[in-house]
Amino acid sequence: MKNVLSIILGGGAGTRLYPLTKLRAKPAVPLAGKYRLIDIPISNCINSDMQKIYVMTQFNSASLNRHITRAYNFPGFSEGFVEVLAAQQTKDNPEWFQGTADAVRKYIWLFKEWDVDYYLILSGDHLYRMDYREFVQRHIDTKADITLSVLPIDEARASDFGLMKINDSGRIIEFSEKPKGDDLKIMAVDTTVLGVSPEVAKEQPYIASMGIYVFNKDVMVKLLEESEAPDFGKQILPNSAKDYNVQAYPFEGYWEDIGTIKSFYEANLALTQQPQPPFSFYDEKAPIYTRSRYLPPSKLLDCQITESIVGEGCILKQCRIDHCVLGLRSRVEAGCVIEDSLLMGADYYEPFAERKSGLQKGVVPLGIGAETTIRGAIVDKNARIGRNVQIINKDHVEEAQREDEGFIIRSGIVVVLKNAVIPDGTVI
């Protein structure tokens, strides 16, 4: 595995995850109370003994750079590293990244310097656990030029992904990037070839790309230098199927593309499921790493908490929490009811004297004020929510743009912006 260079693509502006991406790159969005999205592919690489890792970013990358610098430091006698490559303008390339392939092409001069045989291309916004050693070994065993990790998918979600058809040997013979209508129908196949049961194959008749690829070094260099196509999924991979051995690697297990507010919300709350969530952070053999913060334990003062995850350093007083994920340093005052919600917590503690004097002056302190109800919402970091506030989407609004008031609504989910202030008595 020392023969593999890992390249994690940080994605575009993350418009579908806005406003969580308003002040941060998509891979830096907090996850599961204490992690960031980027921790998933980096941890999978480390657990797969692949320690040469580049992360490519373009938008709002300051918080991502800070997180990676603080979280991932390999010993000096190791070749391992995690390094951020931000989009940069040069004499030869004055433009920003135009797509996934274009991003890699602009840094191909750097990747070529490494004495490796394979490039592993990953996405920075997926939730899954994967041993990339098995993936690369399958690539070697099939003498492939390119291998894509794939999984069966249902019709409702199929048009959001690149779809393909494969032959009996696992070779990909046809591509279609995010097809719709009749173009989607003709991509339906018998997915039992991926090893699923006939019942599952009937419900999930499409083969979707997970956006995870392994290339032979010389093949990727050639493809990128011979073409100016900006995207792997839309141009490079479909065009290469005729001349190269492009193989499919069936992935078995939980995988979620966290590309929208709804999928992000649902993926986080699914972690609280009993008895077994679809994805677990409690696997000792393949842990998910993140930055060590050395926070104190959470303090629960006469609280009722069910089916929830509570991050480190929280202070909760006489409140009821049901089916929620509470992030680092969350503070919830007495009389609050929080249901089906994701609270991202805070980046710092507000000193007691400052909170007290602020309350006397009518300033809303950091955290959730007393007697507040929050239901079906995402509250971003450092939000200040006053007393007797109701965030319940009382009118069942599906979409609303109210940034000037500190929140927006996406797919019926109220998202309170980072650093927002919601005054006492507000009803949303």
Side-chain angles (χ1 to χ4, degrees):
M1 295 304 110
K2 291 181 179 179
N3 231 356
V4 179
L5 183 67
S6 301
I7 303 165
I8 302 173
L9 303 173
T15 51
R16 294 185 303 159
L17 265 179
Y18 191 89
L20 303 181
T21 52
K22 181 179 181 178
L23 300 172
R24 56 170 80 90
K26 187 159 57 168
V29 172
L31 174 75
K34 66 175 288 182
Y35 303 94
R36 306 267 188 159
L37 285 174
I38 194 65
D39 292 327
I40 302 301
I42 292 179
S43 297
N44 284 336
C45 285
I46 293 171
N47 294 331
S48 303
D49 199 26
M50 298 177 184
Q51 298 187 358
K52 292 189 279 287
I53 306 165
Y54 285 111
V55 182
M56 309 196 70
T57 64
Q58 179 164 246
F59 295 93
N60 288 341
S61 52
S63 63
L64 180 65
N65 298 356
R66 187 166 57 242
H67 174 75
I68 289 174
T69 301
R70 292 175 177 175
Y72 301 102
N73 293 303
F74 291 92
F77 48 81
S78 160
E79 271 195 329
F81 64 87
V82 182
E83 190 173 317
V84 174
L85 299 176
Q88 61 180 359
Q89 293 174 298
T90 66
K91 183 180 178 183
D92 297 329
N93 292 302
E95 304 292 330
W96 295 114
F97 296 156
Q98 302 301 308
T100 53
D102 185 62
V104 176
R105 183 185 294 109
K106 286 192 166 107
Y107 272 103
I108 198 70
W109 60 269
L110 175 62
F111 304 146
K112 280 160 60 175
E113 291 179 0
W114 286 96
D115 183 20
V116 298
D117 292 333
Y118 308 104
Y119 294 136
L120 178 65
I121 309 294
L122 306 168
S123 293
D125 56 352
H126 297 163
L127 180 59
Y128 66 108
R129 182 179 276 106
M130 184 174 182
D131 189 338
Y132 298 136
R133 287 172 292 199
E134 296 175 4
F135 181 37
V136 173
Q137 192 58 52
R138 166 67 181 269
H139 175 80
I140 295 168
D141 292 345
T142 57
K143 296 181 171 57
D145 297 307
I146 309 166
T147 301
L148 284 66
S149 188
V150 304
L151 75 172
I153 200 165
D154 58 40
E155 186 171 335
R157 300 169 59 197
S159 59
D160 292 332
F161 297 92
L163 304 181
M164 62 205 69
K165 293 181 179 180
I166 61 177
N167 64 17
D168 294 339
S169 66
R171 181 166 178 169
I172 298 171
I173 55 175
E174 187 178 342
F175 278 93
S176 184
E177 181 69 11
K178 299 182 179 178
K180 291 180 172 58
D182 292 339
D183 291 337
L184 174 63
K185 298 288 186 186
I186 62 174
M187 293 304 293
V189 296
D190 180 5
T191 52
T192 55
V193 296
L194 300 181
V196 301
S197 67
E199 291 79 14
V200 172
K202 189 175 181 182
E203 294 175 4
Q204 301 177 335
Y206 298 94
I207 299 175
S209 168
M210 295 167 61
I212 300 172
Y213 323 124
V214 60
F215 285 80
N216 289 346
K217 178 180 180 178
D218 57 340
V219 171
M220 189 167 87
V221 170
K222 186 179 180 187
L223 286 170
L224 292 181
E225 290 183 345
E226 288 181 351
S227 166
E228 293 185 358
D231 204 78
F232 281 122
K234 292 177 183 174
Q235 294 103 6
I236 297 288
L237 293 172
N239 295 341
S240 62
K242 181 164 61 74
D243 301 321
Y244 293 91
N245 180 9
V246 184
Q247 288 281 327
Y249 172 79
F251 174 71
E252 296 178 11
Y254 175 83
W255 177 84
E256 185 63 52
D257 178 9
I258 302 182
T260 64
I261 289 292
K262 186 176 182 181
S263 63
F264 174 78
Y265 170 83
E266 291 174 348
N268 272 276
L269 292 191
L271 300 171
T272 69
Q273 284 181 16
Q274 294 296 325
Q276 185 66 37
F279 181 88
S280 173
F281 284 90
Y282 300 91
D283 187 337
E284 292 183 11
K285 294 179 181 176
I288 303 300
Y289 305 99
T290 192
R291 174 185 160 202
S292 298
R293 291 179 174 83
Y294 308 109
L295 287 169
S298 288
K299 189 183 341 184
L300 316 178
L301 306 172
D302 191 18
C303 302
Q304 181 184 339
I305 300 177
T306 52
E307 285 192 34
S308 296
I309 293 173
V310 180
E312 303 156 55
C314 298
I315 301 173
L316 314 179
K317 299 178 181 177
Q318 299 174 325
C319 55
R320 181 160 65 83
I321 312 287
D322 178 46
H323 192 221
C324 293
V325 176
L326 272 57
L328 303 163
R329 304 184 191 87
S330 289
R331 182 153 190 157
V332 181
E333 298 296 338
C336 289
V337 176
I338 304 176
E339 300 173 339
D340 307 320
S341 295
L342 168 60
L343 275 55
M344 292 189 180
D347 290 317
Y348 57 92
Y349 288 113
E350 192 172 36
F352 177 75
E354 193 176 313
R355 292 177 66 85
K356 191 173 181 181
S357 65
L359 276 169
Q360 291 170 350
K361 296 173 185 175
V363 177
V364 178
L366 201 63
I368 315 299
E371 305 297 333
T372 286
T373 299
I374 301 176
R375 191 176 299 122
I378 299 173
V379 179
D380 207 340
K381 283 191 169 186
N382 307 332
R384 296 169 179 267
I385 295 177
R387 292 173 290 190
N388 296 298
V389 171
Q390 292 188 58
I391 302 177
I392 54 176
N393 194 2
K394 67 181 182 70
D395 296 325
H396 306 289
V397 177
E398 278 296 303
E399 304 288 329
Q401 197 71 26
R402 309 276 285 276
E403 276 192 64
D404 55 331
E405 297 175 45
F407 71 94
I408 69 168
I409 301 176
R410 287 279 179 275
S411 303
I413 301 161
V414 179
V415 185
V416 178
L417 275 62
K418 186 176 182 180
N419 303 318
V421 179
I422 308 295
D424 293 352
T426 302
V427 179
I428 299 175

